[in-house]
């Protein structure tokens, strides 16, 4: 602020008057203004925790070979969720078939 006063004072007493436009409408433009809603979004850090649990079970026991869903993905009853390593399942079926044939 001090530098502006010194510069204005160094140009003489009429310096400030000459810098102002002669007409109050000299460099202004009138623009119509409209009222509108501006959407505001905020993404806070954190996580969502469910207040309920859903049990998921398998008909066979085995190692998971591949997950078919991602965390947070919506699923329905009957959707394939995981692929189980087939070797243990085949062995189990084979033994059950042998036991059924022997009986």
């Amino acid at each position: 602020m001090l530098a502006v006063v010194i510069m204005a004072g160094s140009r003489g007493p009429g310096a400030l008057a000459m810098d102002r436009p002669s007409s109050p409408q000299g460099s202004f433009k009138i623009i119509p203004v409209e009222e509108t809603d501006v959407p505001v979004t905020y993404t806070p850090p954190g996580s969502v925790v469910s207040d309920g649990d859903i049990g998921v079970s398998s008909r066979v026991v085995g190692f998971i070979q591949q997950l078919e869903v991602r965390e947070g993905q919506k699923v329905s009853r009957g959707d394939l969720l995981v692929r189980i390593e087939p070797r243990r399942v085949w062995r189990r079926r084979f033994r059950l078939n042998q036991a059924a044939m022997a009986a």
Side-chain angles (χ1 to χ4, degrees), residues 1-11 16:
M1 189 77 148
L2 182 60
V4 172
V5 173
I6 293 172
M7 287 177 63
S10 67
R11 291 174 55 192
L16 291 176

Side-chain angles (χ1 to χ4, degrees), residues 37-68:
D37 292 332
V38 178
V40 177
T41 58
Y42 176 68
T43 308
S47 61
V48 177
V49 179
S50 174
D51 56 349
D53 290 333
I54 298 174
V56 177
S57 62
S58 172
R59 293 182 185 157
V60 294
V61 177
F63 292 105
I64 294 176
Q65 185 177 23
Q66 182 177 351
L67 290 173
E68 296 293 334

